Amino acid sequence: MTQPLRVAVTGAAGQIGYSLVFRIASGEMLGPDQPVILQLLELPVAVDAARGVAMELTDCAFPLLAGVEVTSDPNEGFKDADVVMLVGSKPRGPGMLRSDLIRENGPIFVGQGKAIDAHASADAKVIVVGNPCNTNCLIAAAQATRIPKKNFTAMTRLDQNRAVGQLSEKAQVAAAEISNMLIWGNHSPTMVPDTNHATISGASVGSAVDAGWLADEFDGTVRTRGKAIINARGKSSAASAASAAIDHIHDWFLGTGDNSYVSMAVPSNGAYGVPEGLIFSFPCRVTGPWEYEIVEGLELSAAVQERLQATIDELVEERATVQEML
Ligand code: NAX
């Protein structure tokens, strides 16, 4: 029988956590043959709520769920974890600048990074969802002395999925018909959605959708979708964020199907002029279970090249803001 994989989830009682853990337990993330043990980590103030989530998980009687543990102690929560999903973080308050948020959340990721390095599996795979996710990931990875830095990733899959959703609606084809949609850079409004290498039913995006819409609306819709969801729902994206986190880990473990690569924010190796070490969303090719490499040598349009610099600059500035935590 396949040994269960241990999956630690922080912020498990939050909106995204509540949409996420049931799908992990049902097998959607790691496949239908892979049992899982869930380790739910919450702040002391929300640990009772996480216990309620654990009770509901038990009540689902998922065949693949081999156990659920709940704790507010990161040392326990990350113990022997094979997969670590860092969802919990402080939300951005009214009037708060992005740099304030970065400074507020940074210490959480120092502590969690140290606890992961000390207690998780030596080859644990980490995804950071909590915002600002690229720089939180940079902070967590900086604490790692035992776990490879390459194992620390941040989520831009929601941005990729949002772009695919827009193209699919516009071209009136199933999302599965769209391949190799790319997001470069930071999970922030400076991100660069890039359709130049994408295809719709095998044809270039430019030939399948209206050029005016692509030039004028598509990019802005993708980059501001988070805000549009808040305006419509009164709350930030949750189920779609959880779904993207499932996709990110699924593809890293089980491969990218018809796509040659997928957008993941990973430590830069210097490709495309991105300073080494920045957690930057690149096209990543999955080469085997839990193995990926940055796809190098894609030709960039002049427009993409120019915008890449803005998202690089933003991440460099974020790194400078948290320098003392690295
Ligand atoms: P919620 O406020 O609903 O839930 C967050 C949960 O995390 C709370 O239950 C809180 O108690 C817990 N928490 C906070 N600090 C913690 C810590 N140190 N250890 C353990 N648990 C902790 O937020 P939710 O809507 O679930 O969003 C979670 C994070 O995802 C936010 O930072 C949000 O900005 C970010 N997002 C990231 C996205 C992405 O694409 N990368 C998109 C969706 C989302 O905005």
Side-chain angles (χ1 to χ4, degrees):
M1 160 141 176
T2 314
Q3 280 298 310
L5 288 177
R6 291 182 166 270
V7 181
V9 180
T10 71
Q15 298 200 83
I16 295 176
Y18 193 69
S19 292
L20 179 63
V21 294
F22 297 90
R23 294 187 60 188
I24 300 171
S26 75
E28 284 179 74
M29 185 169 85
L30 297 170
D33 304 318
Q34 179 59 61
V36 291
I37 296 173
L38 277 167
Q39 302 181 183
L40 310 184
L41 181 63
E42 256 298 351
L43 292 176
V45 66
V47 83
D48 279 343
R51 287 203 183 96
V53 175
M55 286 159 72
E56 284 201 76
L57 282 161
T58 303
D59 294 350
C60 291
F62 286 118
L64 290 170
L65 187 59
V68 189
E69 295 159 14
V70 181
T71 180
S72 59
D73 176 356
N75 298 334
E76 258 179 51
F78 297 130
K79 189 159 173 24
D80 299 328
D82 301 291
V83 179
V84 176
M85 306 182 79
L86 300 180
V87 179
S89 66
K90 278 190 202 161
R92 188 160 167 178
M96 206 173 178
L97 299 175
R98 190 174 169 87
S99 52
D100 297 333
L101 183 70
I102 291 171
R103 267 189 293 268
E104 287 264 324
N105 273 316
I108 295 177
F109 291 86
V110 172
Q112 293 188 345
K114 284 191 197 313
I116 292 165
D117 200 48
H119 299 287
S121 145
D123 200 22
K125 309 299 182 300
V126 181
I127 175 178
V128 181
V129 175
N131 277 325
C133 61
N134 298 55
T135 296
N136 288 341
C137 182
L138 182 75
I139 295 169
Q143 318 310 317
T145 53
R146 191 175 58 105
I147 296 174
K149 304 249 192 249
K150 203 179 178 216
N151 292 13
F152 286 79
T153 68
M155 184 169 95
T156 47
R157 183 60 177 265
L158 178 56
D159 307 305
Q160 176 184 314
N161 287 353
R162 284 168 171 166
V164 168
Q166 289 303 305
L167 293 174
S168 137
E169 273 193 354
K170 194 68 184 173
Q172 299 200 316
V173 299
E177 291 292 314
I178 295 159
S179 296
N180 298 340
M181 178 64 220
L182 253 180
I183 302 291
W184 299 93
N186 201 1
H187 171 67
S188 84
T190 67
M191 75 176 80
V192 187
D194 183 356
T195 56
N196 290 308
H197 315 281
T199 55
I200 300 182
S201 308
S204 73
V205 171
S207 67
V209 298
D210 176 61
W213 172 82
L214 197 57
D216 300 335
E217 281 182 49
F218 167 77
D219 186 85
T221 302
V222 173
R223 286 186 299 107
T224 59
R225 188 70 163 178
K227 202 162 263 171
I229 301 281
I230 293 175
N231 291 344
R233 221 171 75 86
K235 292 181 189 165
S236 56
S237 315
S240 54
S243 197
I246 295 272
D247 289 345
H248 177 116
I249 296 290
H250 174 279
D251 286 5
W252 188 0
F253 183 40
L254 296 168
T256 58
D258 290 341
N259 289 279
S260 323
Y261 43 75
V262 70
S263 311
M264 286 167 60
V266 301
S268 171
N269 58 0
Y272 302 98
V274 179
E276 224 167 293
L278 280 189
I279 305 292
F280 195 88
S281 184
F282 283 108
C284 290
R285 183 183 297 117
V286 174
T287 53
W290 302 125
E291 297 290 338
Y292 72 84
E293 61 188 23
I294 294 170
V295 176
E296 299 200 36
L298 290 183
E299 207 170 304
L300 305 185
S301 70
V304 167
Q305 186 74 62
E306 193 185 315
R307 288 176 58 197
L308 223 51
Q309 195 53 52
T311 198
I312 291 172
D313 292 347
E314 183 180 54
L315 281 167
V316 167
E317 202 179 310
E318 289 186 12
R319 181 169 64 181
T321 306
V322 299
Q323 195 57 51
E324 77 283 3
M325 299 182 217
L326 302 178

